[in-house]
Amino acid sequence: GQSLEQPSEVTAVEGAIVQINCTYQTSGFYGLSWYQQHDGGAPTFLSYNALDGLEETGRFSSFLSRSDSYGYLLLQELQMKDSASYFCAVRGAGSNYQLIWGAGTKLIIKP
Amino acid sequence: DGGITQSPKYLFRKEGQNVTLSCEQNLNHDAMYWYRQDPGQGLRLIYYSQIVNDFQKGDIAEGYSVSREKKESFPLTVTSAQKNPTAFYLCASSDGGHYSNQPQHFGDGTRLSIL
């Protein structure tokens, strides 16, 4: 089967750095995406990795290691508005190439 | 501004009733999707459509139906056959079709509950 694993909850302090990990098991691999969702809101796209390495977009970076079936989202200079759930999603060859979503990581930021 | 509009924001269903959730997009995207989200869980794909008059079942299509008569519109009907419909329903669209890696853009969702 296809599955993604990510921690259910992570707590960090405002101004700090936090890393949210995602491991996946899919038949075939066509990219790892990250989305942010505030409570009751719509998911919004953050980043996408198709190749190994680090992609940086402002305070957010995303990393992929295809050999380890692993990726992470790195958030720097945390702000209270970053409190949200973060989802990794992988496109694999199974299930007709649809995105498979992790259960989400709730990021709690303390002042 | 371009975007995806879902309505209504809240919807209540009575026993044995079919209800329809609306999704309209003005992004000129070819692909559209319906997802279901339950508390503490990720998104699960109900149906997707790559082009007008074509749609495919996702992992949890039983008890749901869709139509794609116009590029802009992809309504979802939750039928009485769906015995556990209480969830947050999200509509999304993407450019480049279902098989592309373009990001998906989401509406604000419809929260469906049983009366």
Side-chain angles (χ1 to χ4, degrees):
Chain A
Q2 303 187 108
S3 64
L4 282 77
E5 288 194 17
Q6 51 181 131
S8 59
E9 188 176 290
V10 171
T11 301
V13 177
E14 191 176 14
I17 299 173
V18 72
Q19 178 175 310
I20 299 174
N21 299 320
C22 175
T23 57
Y24 59 87
Q25 182 177 358
T26 60
S27 54
F29 175 81
Y30 296 92
L32 172 67
S33 300
W34 289 92
Y35 286 78
Q36 177 193 60
Q37 184 182 33
H38 288 96
D39 280 347
T44 56
F45 173 78
L46 292 177
S47 68
Y48 168 73
N49 296 69
L51 302 176
D52 293 348
L54 192 68
E55 294 283 341
E56 297 180 68
T57 308
R59 294 187 297 115
F60 294 1
S61 303
S62 58
F63 172 82
L64 174 65
S65 169
R66 288 173 295 171
S67 61
D68 296 321
S69 298
Y70 164 76
Y72 66 72
L73 180 69
L74 192 73
L75 296 81
Q76 303 181 71
E77 301 171 19
L78 284 172
Q79 303 174 10
M80 297 304 293
K81 68 178 181 179
D82 298 329
S83 296
S85 291
Y86 293 84
F87 293 86
C88 57
V90 168
R91 188 181 301 278
S95 299
N96 202 22
Y97 299 93
Q98 65 176 283
L99 276 181
I100 305 299
W101 294 75
T105 298
K106 186 174 180 66
L107 175 60
I108 299 170
I109 300 175
K110 297 185 176 181
Chain B
D1 281 343
I4 299 180
T5 301
Q6 289 188 242
S7 62
K9 191 172 179 66
Y10 299 96
L11 187 58
F12 297 91
R13 196 192 86 170
K14 295 179 181 178
E15 195 75 30
Q17 185 182 40
N18 293 352
V19 292
T20 297
L21 285 60
S22 171
C23 177
E24 303 279 330
Q25 56 103 353
N26 61 3
L27 299 167
N28 199 33
H29 287 169
D30 289 315
M32 296 188 74
Y33 312 82
W34 274 106
Y35 289 97
R36 170 178 171 141
Q37 186 176 32
D38 292 284
Q41 297 189 30
L43 280 63
R44 292 185 291 166
L45 186 65
I46 305 172
Y47 270 97
Y48 65 94
S49 168
Q50 296 184 72
I51 198 168
V52 174
N53 292 325
D54 179 71
F55 48 83
Q56 305 294 329
K57 293 181 179 180
D59 287 336
I60 57 166
E62 185 174 349
Y64 300 97
S65 65
V66 293
S67 62
R68 185 89 186 273
E69 297 177 1
K70 299 186 300 182
K71 187 175 185 176
E72 303 80 17
S73 179
F74 192 40
L76 173 75
T77 296
V78 184
T79 75
S80 57
Q82 173 50 249
K83 298 306 179 188
N84 183 24
T86 297
F88 188 45
Y89 290 86
L90 287 159
C91 179
S93 71
S94 66
D95 201 3
H98 171 67
Y99 299 100
S100 80
N101 284 305
Q102 292 295 315
Q104 295 187 7
H105 300 259
F106 287 82
D108 288 334
T110 293
R111 200 167 295 277
L112 176 62
S113 303
I114 296 180
L115 279 178

